[in-house]
């Protein structure tokens, strides 16, 4: 039973971060989940939410949490720690619209099936917890959701959850030997993109950032005048789809930063296909009325991560993609900005002290990347 915990919590974290809805703007609750209970048939194992909070903030492990972590490999424990750090600040007006969307209702209904309750208030309870959690000072996170859930415990039905995940294609990983960009078929991608449509519709921004998971990690920390359109797994293929979906919203960006390429390398796109898609993306950005476009090179990983095809692309392929970026940039008269992110690397290899897993940036690495973005936006 416990072997499924790590996968379960990571999958639920994806749902909770993006399944943020609004129906109880003025609601509040005197209850909050004190325990999370993992149920597998007749077997239950509980964990105090306070222990998860302590683990997230200090990495200190209680005796109850240790019984869970003991079944996880070190890499899985690290992934759990990272999932607990994910926080999302969200636009309440956009959420108000999102709850009425078809994809929003569908995913909220599906998520309610994974949480066992004796009454029929699963969906209202989720809505309430998600909204109150999103309004917390830290934004929406696994912990703020749990601490806002209107019951003294949240019971997760493991078989129901895994069945839901197997049927819903919540994640975009390809079953083939080579990963592919299947983002457009992912309900979470559709939900995140729909949120972006509502949050940016008809608005004018000083700067806009389009990128993959590393850019998404920056969240909304670039200032209210800028908007982060970063989405996990983004490649030039899904970037074009994203821009096409955003075009009818009439969103305006004075400056646009494009930071893709690492996933194109992972998906093994040819130079020709990547160059074609990047040019399409640049054309779509120009059509939207942006005044300046900047390109960030594809992010490098550590040597170890580059040898793990489930984590990152081979470094030579990233080099190849970056060569194609330079060629496209030259032909399109778009600057490639490298100086701000140079401290992340040594000989085009991500520094070990700036990463959480060899591919993504830790807090210090994000600080460097964020400052590089602000330098561009401030030009």
């Amino acid at each position: 039973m416990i072997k499924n915990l790590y996968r379960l919590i990571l999958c639920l974290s994806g749902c909770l971060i993006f399944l943020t809805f609004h129906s109880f703007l003025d609601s509040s609750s005197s209850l909050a989940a004190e325990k999370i209970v993992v149920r597998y048939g007749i077997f239950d194992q509980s964990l105090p939410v306070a222990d998860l909070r302590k683990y997230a903030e200090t990495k200190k492990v209680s005796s109850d949490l240790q019984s869970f972590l003991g079944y996880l490999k070190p890499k899985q424990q690290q992934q759990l720690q990272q999932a607990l750090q994910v926080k999302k600040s969200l636009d309440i007006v956009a959420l108000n619209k999102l709850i009425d969307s078809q994809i929003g209702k569908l995913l909220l209904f599906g998520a309610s099936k994974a949480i066992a309750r004796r009454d029929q208030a699963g969906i209202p309870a989720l809505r309430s917890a998600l909204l109150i959690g999103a309004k917390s000072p830290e934004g929406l996170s696994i912990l703020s959701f749990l601490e806002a859930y209107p019951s003294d415990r949240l019971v997760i039905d493991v078989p129901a959850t895994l069945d839901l995940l197997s049927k819903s294609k919540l994640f975009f990983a390809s079953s083939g030997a080579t990963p592919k960009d299947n983002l457009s078929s992912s309900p979470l991608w559709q939900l995140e993109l729909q949120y972006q449509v509502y949050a940016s519709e008809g608005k004018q921004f000083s700067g806009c950032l389009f990128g993959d998971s590393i850019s998404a990690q920056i969240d909304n920390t670039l200032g209210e005048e800028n908007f982060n359109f970063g989405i996990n797994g983004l490649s030039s293929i899904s970037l074009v789809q994203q821009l096409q979906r955003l075009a009818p919203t009439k969103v305006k960006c004075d400056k646009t930063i494009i930071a893709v390429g690492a996933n194109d390398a992972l998906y093994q796109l040819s130079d020709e296909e990547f160059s074609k898609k990047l040019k399409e993306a640049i054309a779509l950005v120009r059509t939207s009325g942006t005044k300046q476009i900047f390109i960030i090179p594809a992010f490098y990983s550590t040597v170890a991560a580059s040898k793990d095809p489930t984590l990152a692309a081979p470094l030579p392929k990233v080099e190849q993609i970056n060569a194609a970026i330079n060629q496209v940039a030259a032909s399109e008269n778009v600057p490639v900005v490298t100086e701000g992110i140079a401290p992340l690397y040594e000989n085009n290899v991500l520094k070990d002290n700036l990463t959480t897993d060899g591919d993504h940036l830790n807090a210090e690495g994000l600080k460097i990347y964020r400052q590089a973005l602000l330098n561009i936006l401030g030009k």
Side-chain angles (χ1 to χ4, degrees):
M1 176 186 74
I2 306 302
K3 289 182 179 179
N4 289 315
L5 177 66
Y6 122 85
R7 180 185 173 193
L8 176 65
I9 291 182
L10 294 183
C11 291
L12 281 178
S13 73
C15 296
L16 299 180
I17 292 304
F18 294 108
L19 277 174
T20 304
F21 305 95
H22 176 61
S23 67
F24 298 108
L25 271 175
D26 298 320
S27 68
S28 61
S29 173
S30 59
L31 292 175
E34 297 178 359
K35 291 185 178 181
I36 179 171
V37 180
V38 179
R39 175 175 295 169
Y40 196 100
I42 63 173
F43 300 101
D44 284 356
Q45 183 152 347
S46 64
L47 175 68
V49 173
D51 289 7
L52 277 179
R53 168 69 71 179
K54 185 176 181 181
Y55 177 60
E57 295 178 348
T58 69
K59 294 188 179 182
K60 293 183 178 179
V61 180
S62 67
S63 57
D64 287 329
L65 180 57
Q66 185 61 54
S67 66
F68 282 82
L69 297 181
Y71 290 90
L72 308 184
K73 297 177 181 178
K75 182 177 179 180
Q76 295 170 341
Q77 293 183 26
Q78 184 182 52
Q79 289 176 311
L80 172 58
Q81 243 283 334
Q82 292 169 10
L84 292 172
Q85 304 303 319
V86 177
K87 301 169 185 177
K88 192 83 172 176
S89 57
L90 297 156
D91 183 302
I92 296 299
V93 175
L95 297 181
N96 210 8
K97 296 178 180 179
L98 186 61
I99 190 155
D100 292 324
S101 70
Q102 182 178 3
I103 186 66
K105 292 178 180 178
L106 177 64
L107 286 177
L108 183 59
F109 175 78
S112 71
K113 297 298 182 182
I115 298 177
R117 289 181 65 97
R118 294 178 180 176
D119 55 25
Q120 301 299 313
I123 292 178
L126 278 176
R127 285 173 166 172
S128 179
L130 288 166
L131 177 65
I132 295 173
K135 292 170 67 176
S136 72
E138 69 180 37
L140 182 63
S141 67
I142 297 176
L143 291 168
S144 67
F145 166 82
L146 292 173
E147 291 166 348
Y149 190 74
S151 176
D152 59 353
R153 63 183 199 156
L154 184 148
V155 182
I156 299 174
D157 187 313
V158 174
T161 301
L162 297 180
D163 181 62
L164 168 68
L165 295 173
S166 67
K167 293 178 179 178
S168 63
K169 297 181 180 179
L170 281 176
F171 298 94
F172 48 83
S174 173
S175 59
T178 301
K180 295 181 180 180
D181 188 340
N182 297 328
L183 272 181
S184 61
S185 64
S186 163
L188 288 183
W189 151 266
Q190 296 166 20
L191 187 68
E192 176 71 358
L193 187 52
Q194 188 62 57
Y195 168 78
Q196 291 181 354
V197 166
Y198 289 143
S200 64
E201 194 168 17
K203 293 183 179 180
Q204 176 87 36
F205 296 104
S206 176
C208 295
L209 171 63
F210 292 89
D212 53 28
S213 57
I214 293 179
S215 293
Q217 282 182 277
I218 297 294
D219 198 29
N220 297 322
T221 64
L222 298 175
E224 293 183 359
E225 71 277 12
N226 302 309
F227 196 94
N228 186 353
F229 289 94
I231 298 181
N232 294 346
L234 196 76
S235 74
S236 60
I237 295 173
S238 43
L239 172 60
V240 169
Q241 296 170 333
Q242 181 185 23
L243 290 168
Q244 290 172 336
R245 179 69 180 85
L246 290 169
T249 68
K250 305 298 181 182
V251 57
K252 302 292 183 182
C253 306
D254 291 338
K255 299 178 181 179
T256 296
I257 301 174
I258 297 175
V260 298
N263 287 317
D264 295 272
L266 183 65
Y267 302 147
Q268 296 293 310
L269 260 69
S270 66
D271 290 354
E272 294 75 18
E273 179 67 10
F274 172 72
S275 297
K276 176 184 175 182
K277 289 299 180 181
L278 184 56
K279 288 180 179 180
E280 286 182 37
I282 291 172
L284 285 166
V285 170
R286 283 176 170 156
T287 301
S288 71
T290 195
K291 298 175 182 177
Q292 293 177 286
I293 301 175
F294 302 87
I295 297 180
I296 299 287
F299 288 97
Y300 295 99
S301 67
T302 62
V303 172
S306 73
K307 296 178 180 179
D308 182 352
T310 67
L311 185 59
L315 289 171
K317 182 60 178 178
V318 180
E319 291 275 14
Q320 189 176 333
I321 287 292
N322 278 333
I325 286 176
N326 288 330
Q327 292 177 357
V328 171
S331 66
E332 296 291 328
N333 196 27
V334 173
V336 177
V337 182
T338 60
E339 60 267 21
I341 62 171
L344 295 173
Y345 309 118
E346 184 172 350
N347 298 322
N348 289 340
V349 175
L350 181 60
K351 294 178 181 178
D352 289 326
N353 65 322
L354 297 177
T355 180
T356 56
D357 58 3
D359 187 45
H360 297 90
L361 301 178
N362 61 17
E364 190 61 30
L366 288 173
K367 183 178 178 180
I368 294 172
Y369 180 41
R370 178 177 177 272
Q371 187 57 54
L373 294 171
L374 291 174
N375 289 343
I376 296 173
L377 296 172
K379 288 183 179 178

